[in-house]
Amino acid sequence: MDVTGKLAKISIQPILNNIELGQLLVAYDLPEALTGKFTMRGAVKGSGLTSYDFSHNWAGKMQMSMNDARLNGMNIQQLVQQAIARNNNSVQGLERYDHYTQIKSLQAEGELNKGTLTLSNLLAESEMLNAKGAGNIDFADNQCDLTLGVRVTGGWKGNSNLIQRLQNTDVPLRVYGPWAQLNYQLQVDQILRNQLQDEAKNAIQNWIDRNKKAKDNKELKSILDK
């Protein structure tokens, strides 16, 4: 620690084990957007010890993980399932959702620079949801911008073929904006388009198999091979 200047200059290697993240956020006047048991290892340095200093004057790298976490104010499973159901009525999600995303385990690498935490290799798992991705958290402006690949593995009912595809496909999801009112963008069109193409190809193949001597077989076969 160097205290010769106006602000204390500090270099530390913090070790946090299973502390409640919500309490830490409150202590630094930050919204409780994410709560749960938080563990961190890293090396950081900066000047000053106030919440403003942390949001502007600190930098470093860290490894982070969480258990029994909640992303408050947004249910990612609900977003994905309702978006799919709106575009394809052959599948549905749950009838009722909580107003948060339950996360069994989460881990990520982070690099802090002047109040912006850049996340990489983010992995999250829960009972019905897996996600991976990267992004930025801006502590100074209380905003985030995360790009995720989300795979909803449970809670579906309806078309078994489409459900199987959805359970094995990462749905692109962007979560961004102020923590108090997060926005999102989902891209489900390509997934549903691929499903329709597969269904059409299967229907054509079944027709060919039933009508092996039909004159149009070669033309239909060429469509399947595209």
Side-chain angles (χ1 to χ4, degrees):
M1 177 183 292
D2 180 1
V3 295
T4 58
K6 187 175 181 180
L7 292 175
K9 296 180 180 179
I10 306 168
S11 180
I12 58 175
Q13 294 181 330
I15 298 176
L16 304 177
N17 288 314
N18 292 320
I19 69 166
E20 177 51 55
L21 181 61
Q23 296 176 1
L24 182 63
L25 294 175
V26 169
Y28 280 93
D29 296 322
L30 297 171
E32 295 181 82
L34 185 65
T35 57
K37 300 298 183 182
F38 179 67
T39 295
M40 184 183 77
R41 304 281 190 279
V44 295
K45 59 183 179 180
S47 57
L49 297 173
T50 67
S51 59
Y52 177 88
D53 294 326
F54 173 75
S55 299
H56 293 80
N57 302 326
W58 283 77
K61 295 182 179 181
M62 59 206 74
Q63 298 275 347
M64 298 165 288
S65 64
M66 293 190 70
N67 292 310
D68 299 324
R70 284 186 180 183
L71 175 63
N72 296 306
M74 175 177 287
N75 190 311
I76 293 177
Q77 179 182 350
Q78 178 183 11
L79 298 181
V80 173
Q81 291 188 320
Q82 290 185 346
I84 294 290
R86 282 195 299 268
N87 287 273
N88 189 313
N89 60 13
S90 68
V91 293
Q92 297 83 39
L94 301 177
E95 294 182 0
R96 180 182 176 277
Y97 296 91
D98 295 313
H99 196 52
Y100 57 83
T101 300
Q102 186 71 42
I103 304 170
K104 182 179 180 181
S105 64
L106 182 152
Q107 62 185 43
E109 299 173 4
E111 183 169 357
L112 179 66
N113 185 31
K114 296 181 179 179
T116 298
L117 178 63
T118 300
L119 297 174
S120 59
N121 297 322
L122 187 153
L123 297 172
E125 296 182 354
S126 65
E127 183 179 353
M128 297 186 183
L129 178 75
N130 297 324
K132 58 184 179 181
N136 299 307
I137 298 176
D138 187 338
F139 291 105
D141 293 330
N142 290 345
Q143 297 198 46
C144 74
D145 193 342
L146 302 174
T147 301
L148 305 172
V150 177
R151 187 172 298 190
V152 178
T153 58
W156 296 103
K157 56 184 178 181
N159 184 317
S160 59
N161 290 331
L162 179 53
I163 289 174
Q164 184 176 14
R165 178 184 290 274
L166 293 169
Q167 289 174 330
N168 292 281
T169 301
D170 293 332
V171 178
L173 169 65
R174 181 188 176 204
V175 179
Y176 65 98
W179 295 351
Q181 191 174 2
L182 291 173
N183 303 300
Y184 71 93
Q185 291 179 342
L186 267 172
Q187 299 177 27
V188 300
D189 293 348
Q190 186 60 48
I191 296 170
L192 297 176
R193 190 177 301 117
N194 290 342
Q195 176 67 19
L196 290 174
Q197 289 175 348
D198 286 349
E199 290 177 355
K201 288 182 178 181
N202 288 336
I204 293 173
Q205 185 62 59
N206 290 336
W207 188 91
I208 291 174
D209 292 340
R210 292 194 306 269
N211 301 273
K212 293 186 180 297
K213 296 182 180 181
K215 295 180 180 179
D216 296 332
N217 273 5
K218 289 184 178 180
E219 183 177 347
L220 290 172
K221 188 66 175 176
S222 67
I223 295 175
L224 287 177
D225 294 336
K226 289 183 178 179

